């Protein structure tokens, strides 16, 4: 179909055809081919035409940004997000603009620019709240809380935690978060550690270890317990969790190297 429209279609038809072909490769897990198709779609867009399909063009840049983020290429991801933001803003597609901003927080987080990530997340919370999208606002409140713990501001996140727990719908009646979001337990543990409520901090760090399956969560919880026992002067426990944190960091690094090698291949 893409070949057909390249011969007989308009610029907008070519743009859409190559975009859809890129999405097919994306769903097959073929990132290089998907990125090439998205680039082909961008090349065929006539941005000077009055009827240019900026709606689809913004989506192309969004999909490219998501793939580049998965490949751990945050600088290139940010470039695509800026294009997504520009074209979406041009046609007043508010939700697409906000989506671009949301992805920017992840890119800045990967670049360790947590102040920039937190600033964007705070803007998103304010905008979503004003527009009545309270669940989305609450989700980004959790993002702010996580970022603030990285900046040693864990004592200032209680309001964000409460909003996240009450509005996201991620928790059951017993206060357990849904599968795949156990990182939140570690964030809450850091809050209790910052306000010197050590029993509660220990409870949430161990809850993260018990429920989480991925190495990133375990590493975060082990580091939290190391900090806790260091702060309370429990040398044996401190040494134990320092060793566990080290071993998990090493395993996580090896896993990440394997993932990056697969991406390169």
């Amino acid at each position: 179909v893409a070949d057909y429209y390249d011969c007989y279609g308009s610029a907008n038809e070519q743009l859409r055809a190559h975009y859809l072909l890129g999405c097919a490769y994306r769903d097959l897990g073929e990132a290089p081919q998907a990125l090439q198709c998205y680039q082909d779609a961008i090349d065929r867009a006539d941005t000077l035409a009055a009827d240019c399909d900026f709606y689809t063009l913004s989506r192309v840049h969004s999909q490219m940004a998501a793939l580049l983020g998965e490949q751990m290429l945050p600088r290139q991801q940010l470039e695509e997000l800026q294009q997504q933001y520009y074209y979406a803003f041009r046609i007043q597609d508010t939700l697409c603009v906000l989506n671009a901003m949301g992805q920017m927080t992840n890119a800045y987080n990967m670049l360790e620019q947590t102040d920039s990530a937190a600033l964007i997340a705070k803007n998103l919370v304010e905008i979503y709240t004003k527009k009545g999208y309270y669940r989305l606002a609450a989700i980004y409140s959790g993002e702010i809380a996580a970022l603030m713990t990285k900046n040693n501001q864990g004592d200032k996140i209680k309001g964000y935690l409460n909003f996240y727990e009450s509005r996201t719908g991620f928790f059951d009646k017993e206060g357990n978060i849904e599968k795949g979001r156990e990182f939140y337990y570690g964030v809450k543990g850091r809050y209790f550690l910052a306000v010197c409520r050590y029993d509660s901090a220990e409870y949430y760090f161990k809850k993260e270890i018990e429920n989480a399956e991925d190495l990133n969560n375990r590493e975060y919880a082990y580091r939290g317990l190391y900090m806790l026992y260091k702060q309370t002067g429990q040398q044996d426990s401190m040494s134990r969790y320092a060793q566990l944190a080290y071993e998990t960091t090493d395993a996580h690094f090896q896993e990440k190297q394997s993932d990056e090698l697969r991406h390169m291949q």
Side-chain angles (χ1 to χ4, degrees):
V1 173
D3 287 343
Y4 174 84
Y5 281 123
D6 280 344
C7 293
Y8 304 108
S10 66
N12 284 339
E13 288 170 333
Q14 292 174 24
L15 164 64
R16 286 194 287 270
H18 284 279
Y19 168 58
L20 292 172
L21 183 57
C23 290
Y25 279 120
R26 175 206 63 200
D27 292 345
L28 289 169
E30 301 290 347
Q33 291 92 329
L35 288 169
Q36 183 59 59
C37 289
Y38 292 146
Q39 187 59 55
D40 291 340
I42 292 167
D43 291 341
R44 283 158 176 76
D46 184 1
T47 56
L48 298 178
D51 65 342
C52 180
D53 185 1
F54 290 115
Y55 179 91
T56 300
L57 186 56
S58 65
R59 267 67 183 171
V60 176
H61 286 289
S62 177
Q63 291 295 328
M64 287 189 76
L67 282 176
L68 290 166
E70 290 174 7
Q71 309 304 315
M72 306 298 290
L73 296 168
R75 295 190 188 281
Q76 292 88 334
Q77 182 186 16
L78 278 172
E79 291 174 5
E80 294 303 321
L81 291 173
Q82 287 162 359
Q83 291 297 310
Q84 175 190 345
Y85 184 99
Y86 171 76
Y87 290 120
F89 186 82
R90 185 165 176 170
I91 57 171
Q92 298 299 296
D93 187 347
T94 304
L95 287 178
C96 192
V97 168
L98 295 175
N99 173 272
M101 292 173 65
Q103 289 195 68
M104 285 177 188
T105 63
N106 297 327
Y108 281 121
N109 198 13
M110 277 195 280
L111 291 168
E112 298 295 330
Q113 298 180 24
T114 51
D115 287 340
S116 297
L119 179 61
I120 293 173
K122 287 177 181 178
N123 287 337
L124 285 168
V125 170
E126 183 178 346
I127 294 168
Y128 280 130
T129 301
K130 284 182 179 178
K131 292 184 175 294
Y133 294 107
Y134 297 110
R135 185 170 183 270
L136 289 171
I139 289 171
Y140 281 102
S141 291
E143 184 82 14
I144 294 168
L147 290 165
M148 289 179 72
T149 60
K150 284 189 173 184
N151 292 339
N152 298 316
Q153 296 177 300
D155 58 324
K156 300 177 182 178
I157 65 173
K158 189 174 189 294
Y160 295 112
L161 297 180
N162 290 341
F163 190 27
Y164 184 84
E165 291 178 3
S166 63
R167 287 286 192 165
T168 57
F170 294 152
F171 297 83
D172 62 21
K173 293 179 180 179
E174 286 73 41
N176 300 308
I177 202 166
E178 66 183 31
K179 200 70 177 171
R181 300 183 184 275
E182 295 86 0
F183 186 76
Y184 180 74
Y185 295 139
V187 174
K188 192 160 186 178
R190 298 287 176 108
Y191 161 70
F192 284 122
L193 180 60
V195 297
C196 301
R197 291 178 57 182
Y198 300 125
D199 289 344
S200 297
E202 183 178 38
Y203 170 79
Y204 278 102
F205 288 138
K206 289 186 175 179
K207 189 170 185 177
E208 182 176 19
I209 293 168
E210 290 168 5
N211 291 276
E213 296 178 356
D214 66 286
L215 291 173
N216 188 47
N217 275 332
R218 289 181 174 275
E219 178 186 350
Y220 192 74
Y222 288 144
R223 287 181 181 274
L225 286 167
Y226 162 75
M227 293 164 59
L228 167 64
Y229 295 128
K230 181 180 179 182
Q231 202 162 311
T232 55
Q234 300 178 56
Q235 296 296 323
D236 290 343
S237 296
M238 183 185 79
S239 298
R240 178 191 175 200
Y241 284 102
Q243 181 64 29
L244 286 169
Y246 169 78
E247 291 172 357
T248 310
T249 300
D250 189 54
H252 189 202
F253 178 73
Q254 292 180 24
E255 182 184 78
K256 193 173 179 181
Q257 279 191 317
S258 298
D259 287 342
E260 288 177 355
L261 180 59
R262 283 194 293 272
H263 290 156
M264 288 171 64
Q265 291 172 337

